[in-house]
Amino acid sequence: MTAFITALRTVLLGLAFAAGLAMPGLAQLNAESRAVYQDWLKTANRAEEVIDARRASSAALETLRKELAGYRQNFLDARTENGDRLETLEGQLAALGEPPAEGESEPEDIAQLRSSLEQQLKDLKVPRIVAEEAFSRANGLISEIDKIIRERRTRKLLERGPSPLNPENWPGAWRSLSRSAGSLLNETVIRIGSATTAERIQNSLPALLLLLVISALLLARGRAWAHAAGDYLRQFGSSGRGVWGFVVSLLEVIVPFVGILLLVAAVDLSGILGFRGAVLLDHIPGWALLILSFHWLGNQLFSGRIENDLVPVQEGRLNETRLMVDILAVILVLQDALSLVENIDNIPAEAHAVASFPLIMGAALVLLRLHRIGAKRRQQQSEDDTDEDGAIAAGANRVMTLVRRATYLLGFVSPVLAAFGYVNAAEALIYPAVSTLALLAALLVLQRFLGDVYGWLSGKGSEARDSLFAVLIGFLLVTLALPLLALIWGARVADLTELWSRFLEGFQIGGTRISPTAFLTFAIVFAIGYALTRLVQGSLRNSLLPKTKIDPGGQNAITSGLGYVGIFLAAVVAISMAGLDLSSLAIVAGALSVGIGFGLQTIVSNFVSGIILLIERPVSKGDWIEVGGLMGYVRDISVRSTRIETFDRTDVIVPNSDLISGTVTNYTRGNTVGRVIVPVGVAYGTDPRKVEAILSDIAKGHPMVLLNPAPSVVFQGFGADSLDFEIRAILRDVNWVLSVKSDLNYEIARRFHEEGVEIPFMQRDIWIRNPEALAQAQAASTAETPASAPAAAPPKPDLDDLQHDPDNDAEGDSDADK
């Protein structure tokens, strides 16, 4: 079966090569592709043999996988080659129409053109078919290799070895470690006593002395120089004090690290170390950087500038917490050194278990201690702190608390696993937990630094730490840290590259493949178009349109409409630039539009109404309108709703459909000229002509009242309590109608008082029909009551004896009759 598949692949390759020879200019390219394909066949056959045998080491499998991944990427690129040419040929064939049915004929020139186009289309499709087949085969082989490696790693992780608590394993472990240390010491002593080494030192003595002197200065004076550099940088602005403090702290790490690098270079130049010592010397810079980084991280995290729930610190225990962090760094260095020695000298499993257990136990105790300090700090904060954090801060604190509790659990479980012989599993839990804490702490410190930089540059100061920028930076940092977290917890670099390759491959929607490149192109082009649209809108709104005679409502309609058109064009251009063919989604979109239409018909109605408002402009920005019993000024017209500011300074959001389908009163449509009506009543007996003259004079004297047309005074009629008049005047600006009414009323009150004109008010008189009956009843009651008895209240009159006569209001009855 395998031979048949190989023969089939060879035939397809021959067809592809023949197609290349038939097309001028592509023969050499296809010849090179054929050579590459033959190499690929050899590599694929060898990979299948290795996979079937399952005897190769994991390192050899990783090398083979890397080679297969390279071929797969080439085939992935080949699958998309000549795409434009294929679309052109398919379009040409479609332009020729359907081929004639059996028994029918077409013109000879069209038939020849159709045959040529079909042959070219086949010639271009064959290499893509070969690339598709090869890509699938490479992908399958890579998946099989990954499966083998994962099975081996899982088997090793769950493998049970000798227990470090078994005393029988201690002597062998001690002998193995002593042998390794003795070999390292003997190699060094031999190299030091060698004449070759002495001659080498003598020849490079000036360089050695220079390296040692510079290294000693950097290690001894690096901290002081870093603080001096910070004092100099602070001269550029005190607002960047947090930024300069962070820079100084980095210099406190970088300067000693450079000194260590020079010291290592001096030792390596001297040649006093043997093979084992040279291997360990190569790792010393990394170990030194690890210790310096943890020490720096402890100083930054517990400096009082960062409040966190990852490793909270109780007051008075800062030094203890920093010491715990430094101990964790030393444990990580010792664990890496132990693994290195094990690889060099092939230390047996018993020695590895015994030597690893103290490190695992030490890391677990430190984690438990940090958790205990953090728990006390959290308890103190819950008792003293009364401030409420925001939702984002609260969510981040919950995540930090969860991580801290997880490390506490791992610190408890790992020594137990190691005690039962599962040393590999214990190491796979405890050390990644420590590294995870360090990584998250570094993210907190880096987020705070970037927030300080933003606050310094924007002038917001410490307020920038709680801004949206800080939140976005934190999200970006966490996203970038995800691959590091995956590597910390045992993921292979090949696993990450595999995920990245699949991510770049994209996904299929109908006949369109959406790739990250296309999506990024769409996002960039759309962002550019959106920014240009907003820029043009701002220029029109602030520079060009205010210089024209267009009213504010028309200016708002122009800028809003331009914004909608610009965003639409930006989306269309972005889709075209990204190469997205959404025609295959038309059927799905049509089906969805029916369901969406029922659910979103109100929103669609408001959207269409908003477009009508912007085009017809029955209501414009700044108009004074009344709709649905609400009265106020139009402050903004968006695509869905209109914002109205009422006279009590409250904002009311009115759907646009209400403005189109409902009754709207626009008091300032077109111009601000409007009428004011001021009613007033005078007492009966007043000369109406005199009142008319006074009111006319008052109206004409107000500055907001137009004299053309002149204001008028209307004698409305004879009211129940007064003679009713009205001032009717046209105002220059109807927005001042309430102020004008108030001014006119004040002037009316003053002039009526001066002219002796009475403004009546409503009065009611009550008279009693039979007052003598009440008098007789009262006299009889007084006669029957003993002299010693208290006087009784007069009897209440019968309601039938009382009458209400509103017609006698103006007669002025005496108070005794009321």
Side-chain angles (χ1 to χ4, degrees), residues 186-234:
N186 291 334
E187 286 182 354
T188 305
V189 171
I190 294 173
R191 292 299 296 268
I192 292 176
S194 174
T196 305
T197 304
E199 183 181 359
R200 182 175 180 178
I201 293 175
Q202 185 177 1
N203 293 333
S204 58
L205 185 59
L208 285 175
L209 292 178
L210 181 61
L211 291 174
L212 292 175
V213 169
I214 297 176
S215 175
L217 287 175
L218 292 177
L219 292 175
R221 300 292 299 169
R223 185 179 181 87
W225 290 348
H227 284 281
D231 295 336
Y232 173 76
L233 292 174
R234 289 188 180 95

Side-chain angles (χ1 to χ4, degrees), residues 223-253:
R223 185 179 181 87
W225 290 348
H227 284 281
D231 295 336
Y232 173 76
L233 292 174
R234 289 188 180 95
Q235 298 177 2
F236 294 96
S238 59
S239 59
R241 185 170 301 172
V243 177
W244 304 137
F246 185 86
V247 173
V248 170
S249 66
L250 286 181
L251 290 177
E252 292 178 353
V253 174

Side-chain angles (χ1 to χ4, degrees), residues 576-659:
S576 301
M577 293 292 292
L580 302 178
D581 183 13
L582 304 181
S583 59
S584 58
L585 300 179
I587 300 177
V588 178
L592 291 177
S593 62
V594 177
I596 294 175
F598 287 105
L600 302 179
Q601 56 182 345
T602 303
I603 297 177
V604 174
S605 174
N606 290 326
F607 177 81
V608 175
S609 301
I611 299 299
I612 295 174
L613 288 177
L614 293 175
I615 295 176
E616 294 186 356
R617 297 197 298 121
V619 174
S620 301
K621 184 178 180 180
D623 288 352
W624 172 23
I625 68 172
E626 181 180 0
V627 55
L630 297 173
M631 184 180 296
Y633 293 101
V634 177
R635 295 306 184 193
D636 183 55
I637 300 177
S638 64
V639 74
R640 190 196 67 83
S641 60
T642 298
R643 181 170 62 90
I644 298 176
E645 181 182 351
T646 61
F647 296 125
D648 55 359
R649 296 298 186 267
T650 57
D651 286 345
V652 179
I653 308 301
V654 180
N656 289 333
S657 58
D658 292 350
L659 299 177

Side-chain angles (χ1 to χ4, degrees), residues 463-494:
E463 296 180 358
R465 299 172 183 173
D466 300 326
S467 62
L468 179 62
F469 176 82
V471 177
L472 295 178
I473 285 296
F475 178 77
L476 179 62
L477 291 176
V478 171
T479 303
L480 295 177
L482 289 178
L484 296 178
L485 283 175
L487 293 175
I488 287 173
W489 287 97
R492 298 156 45 227
V493 177

